[in-house]
Amino acid sequence: MKIVLTCGHPTSGYEMIHRVLLNSGLHEAVSCRHEQFSPADFQRKLCIAHEVPAVGAGEVMQVDPGKVWQNLAVDLFIANMENENWGWADVNTVHLLAFWHDFDPQIRFVLTYSSPATALARLENVADKQVKEVIEDALQSWLFFNDQLLRFYARHQDRCLLINADAVARVEGQEKLLPLLREQRGLSLGTQVVKATALEHRESPIFGLIASQMLEEMPEVRALYDELEGSADLFSGESNPRSVLAEMAMAEYQRLANSLKAGQIALRELASKKHEAQRLSLEKLSALEQALAVREREAERHKNDAKQAKENQEELKEKQEEKELLLRQLHQVQEELEVYFLKAKELTSERDEARRLSADKLSALERKLATREREAERLTATAAERATKNEELIRQGEHEAKQLRLQLQQAQEALERDLRKAKELAIERDRARQLSVEKLAALEKIVSVREAEAERHKKDATQAKRRADDLEREVAEGKRQATKLRELEQENELLLLQLHQVQEELENYFLKYQEVNANKQAASAQANSAPSLPITIDLTSDVQGDNWYEAEPDGRWAGPERSSTISVPLLQPGEYRMELDILDAMSPSILQNMAISFNDRTLFFTGDDRQPVSAAVFDGRSAKQVDYPVTWQTVFRVLVADAEQPGKLRFDFSRLLPPRAGGARKHAIFLKTVRIVPILDREIHGVDLRNRIVGRNWYEPEIDGRWAGPGPVSMLVLPAVKPGRYQIGLEIVDAIAPEVLKGVQYKLAGKPVYFADAYPQGWLTQALGKRRHYPIKLVAEVQLLPEQCASDLELEFSFVKLISPASRGSADQRMLAIRLKNVTLKPLSSS
């Protein structure tokens, strides 16, 4: 069973590499059986419990969990025991690399990194006023995180793979990654690849040029990335020099400029089309107004027709009333005829009855009846005539009424049609008027804006013309004053040189005054409160400090925390030698990696036990044994500011371990005494590169020194010294090539230093062409001024080129220059 832990900076793309492994047969880790913690939850809660700062908030520190957390880790591994190959990916794994390495030998680590330019490209939500701070924080986070990965990889290459995520984003990179895991780390995974082009981040050449400019301000970031690329099992291999980036950026800029030009042309065409559309809309508006006028005239005509139809209707109404009058008269005649008919019937009845009367009465009645019959006939004829006339009038009236109804119906239909057309025309007229009003308003607004712009452009042109005239006058005036300015500049340069000389003299007088005043104060303080020298702090008795266990018969153990302190009595300004009597340590690696500082300034100790060892020392299994007790020595200075209060001696440990016999306590070193002795004579100061150093662009220490690389510039911080004349010496134990050593350029505190061989070859050796044997001692004399000694000295090495041993058939892929053992500063007599 193999466990694969994938880890990388949040911007490195480590999740994509984990997905590649999952698609190739790796099982995703399941949660714990009891607490149901996923691996990411387990690591996050562990970091919170140990107050570990979040990634990006500072330096990356390693966590040494207690027994409770170790039991939870065991439960997590038991829950995943049935899977042959399993693992997880989490950014917090960087705090637990040492813990997981010691936890199970079957764990393999896939350490992922990406270029600093990628980290900058993936920044989000950057405010304009915070761009510089965010960029610096992002690069510092990238530096701390990847430096921790590189250190762990250098110590445990047998169980780690260092991968550039940009290389795995391509299919050919995945095809290389899986055989590496299968052949070198024993993982039986498939060969399926994943198309990860969506995750592959391609910056534009313009961004690449900007990023390279940003990274020039932090050369340590570029140096670390070069070291990562030189050490990686799978590296990107993609790098473009600034000249190529500049050409690509210019091509990209030209393409964007062409796109902008095409857009401006399209915008002008669109404006032209808009102007044409406005012109057409005005023409359509005019046509609509003409059509509206025609429709209004037609509506007026239809209105007149409707008025005529109304008059015809009134005339028809009068004829209808006349017809109704004739009908009433006809009805009246009919009623009269009925009355006459009834009277005639009565007369007939009377006649029949009169026949039964006497003949006299009969004749009288006959006469009377004849008269009545004649009258009735006359009346009947009159009535028949009137009836005929009335019927003719009725027929005529009905025909006229029918004609009038038809005309009325036609007039009503025409009126309705005209009313509908009039309504439609009114609606169209209102709509046209509304559109015309809106368009006219818009046109008026556009015209007003264009007029305002034209007026503004006219004013700008006038101002530009006036400004051009002013500039011409200023140029003419500037040409006249150029000669005077050059003369004034020469006078100013002379005055500045004189001013600098006066300032240097004043600084020398001021420093001498401070030194005299400090000597007086030191003599007075020494007479009042200076402790007896030398000072011996015995840890078998009471000690003022933190993080020390109870005293034992021959010393004290440091613990249980990783930082221990000892309070040092008040010391006067000057140089001192410090000696530490160390009786034991829980591990050689703890002793090897221990950092010691006085008042927050790092001390560089020497001792037989400080010889660097190989990476196997750090895992505690094959570390070389140290013959205890050992004594460490160092020389340090107490400044005037340090003499105002007691000092603090601080010990920082990489880890602590419990005693071999068991127990809850955790120990680091067993210290007996600390002795501080004043130095009356001048001592030799120096830096041993086999120990912990302060600088950049150096590989891990070897048995006899350190290699410079992978970048072209290395820097080393030397201890602060007093102003004066010194002999600086370099002990070089090897160089990758003679021309590399010959072309090195040196600078101390920013000024060039020219070294000479302390033991040059004889003429016979040179004549025979015998090759020089290392080590080589280079020396030079320097004069250190007070301003150079105000802080630590920086010694800079610039190399003409670096060479990889791999180019000569070796498996070492590093880029190397020279291997330096130590640097010394020896004071010289003022005479």
Side-chain angles (χ1 to χ4, degrees), residues 162-216:
L162 186 60
I163 304 298
N164 190 320
D166 295 333
V168 181
R170 301 185 294 271
V171 173
E172 55 269 19
Q174 299 176 31
E175 294 175 349
K176 294 179 182 179
L177 171 63
L178 299 176
L180 281 175
L181 291 170
R182 184 169 57 254
E183 296 171 4
Q184 298 185 16
R185 300 298 178 263
L187 290 173
S188 58
L189 299 177
T191 59
Q192 182 179 359
V193 297
V194 179
K195 292 183 179 179
T197 54
L199 294 174
E200 189 175 357
H201 188 82
R202 295 291 183 183
E203 300 87 3
S204 68
I206 297 176
F207 176 81
L209 189 62
I210 295 173
S212 65
Q213 183 67 28
M214 293 178 181
L215 294 177
E216 283 185 356

Side-chain angles (χ1 to χ4, degrees), residues 19 34 70 152 160 177 190 329 331 336 341 423 433 485 595 653 738:
R19 286 201 294 273
H34 300 297
Q70 293 177 5
F152 183 78
C160 299
L177 171 63
Q329 292 175 357
H331 292 161
E336 290 178 356
F341 179 74
K423 289 180 181 179
R433 286 178 179 175
L485 287 176
F653 311 107

Side-chain angles (χ1 to χ4, degrees), residues 54-97:
V55 173
E59 295 189 12
V60 178
M61 58 181 295
Q62 291 296 308
V63 178
D64 189 8
K67 195 169 185 62
V68 174
W69 295 102
Q70 293 177 5
N71 292 336
L72 288 174
V74 171
D75 185 47
L76 175 64
F77 272 56
I78 293 175
N80 292 274
M81 187 178 296
E82 296 180 357
N83 295 325
E84 179 181 0
N85 297 319
W86 59 280
W88 68 83
D90 185 25
V91 70
N92 286 322
T93 305
V94 71
H95 300 296
L96 300 165
L97 292 173

Side-chain angles (χ1 to χ4, degrees), residues 434-602:
Q434 184 177 359
L435 291 174
S436 62
V437 169
E438 292 177 355
K439 291 182 178 179
L440 286 174
L443 288 172
E444 289 176 356
K445 186 175 180 181
I446 292 172
V447 169
S448 62
V449 172
R450 294 292 175 83
E451 290 177 351
E453 289 180 355
E455 187 67 24
R456 180 170 55 82
H457 289 310
K458 186 176 180 181
K459 291 181 180 178
D460 292 342
T462 305
Q463 293 178 357
K465 186 176 181 180
R466 287 199 299 268
R467 193 178 298 112
D469 296 337
D470 295 338
L471 287 174
E472 288 179 357
R473 288 193 295 271
E474 290 177 0
V475 169
E477 183 67 22
K479 289 180 179 179
R480 286 192 298 270
Q481 294 180 357
T483 306
K484 294 182 180 180
L485 287 176
R486 282 194 294 270
E487 295 175 356
L488 290 175
E489 286 177 357
Q490 294 175 357
E491 294 178 1
N492 289 336
E493 290 178 357
L494 181 60
L495 291 174
L496 284 174
L497 291 175
Q498 295 175 354
L499 178 61
H500 290 163
Q501 292 177 356
V502 173
Q503 286 179 343
E504 290 178 357
E505 293 177 0
L506 289 175
E507 288 177 357
N508 290 329
Y509 291 139
F510 179 70
L511 290 173
K512 290 180 180 179
Y513 168 75
Q514 279 189 329
E515 187 174 358
V516 172
N517 192 19
N519 291 334
K520 290 181 179 179
Q521 293 179 356
S524 177
Q526 185 174 7
N528 296 329
S529 60
S532 59
L533 297 173
I535 299 173
T536 301
I537 302 174
D538 189 355
L539 276 80
T540 60
S541 59
D542 292 338
V543 62
Q544 294 183 357
D546 298 326
N547 197 45
W548 296 96
Y549 286 106
E550 297 79 7
E552 299 183 12
D554 52 353
R556 288 177 186 260
W557 281 102
E561 303 298 332
R562 294 190 177 184
S563 295
S564 299
T565 60
I566 295 177
S567 180
V568 178
L570 186 68
L571 298 175
Q572 299 305 316
E575 293 186 344
Y576 295 84
R577 178 192 296 110
M578 181 181 295
E579 298 177 357
L580 306 179
D581 291 335
I582 302 173
L583 302 186
D584 198 1
M586 294 305 299
S587 170
S589 62
I590 295 177
L591 194 65
Q592 178 72 25
N593 295 324
M594 178 174 62
I596 307 175
S597 60
F598 178 74
N599 288 350
D600 296 330
R601 292 197 301 276
T602 302

Side-chain angles (χ1 to χ4, degrees), residues 365-379:
L365 289 171
E366 287 179 352
R367 288 193 296 274
K368 190 177 181 178
L369 179 60
T371 304
R372 295 284 181 88
E373 285 179 354
R374 285 194 297 272
E375 290 179 1
E377 289 177 356
R378 183 177 56 79
L379 288 174

Side-chain angles (χ1 to χ4, degrees), residues 713-734:
V713 179
S714 297
M715 188 272 291
L716 189 64
V717 176
L718 306 180
V721 297
K722 294 181 179 179
R725 293 179 63 249
Y726 289 85
Q727 182 189 73
I728 180 171
L730 307 179
E731 186 175 358
I732 300 174
V733 296
D734 199 0

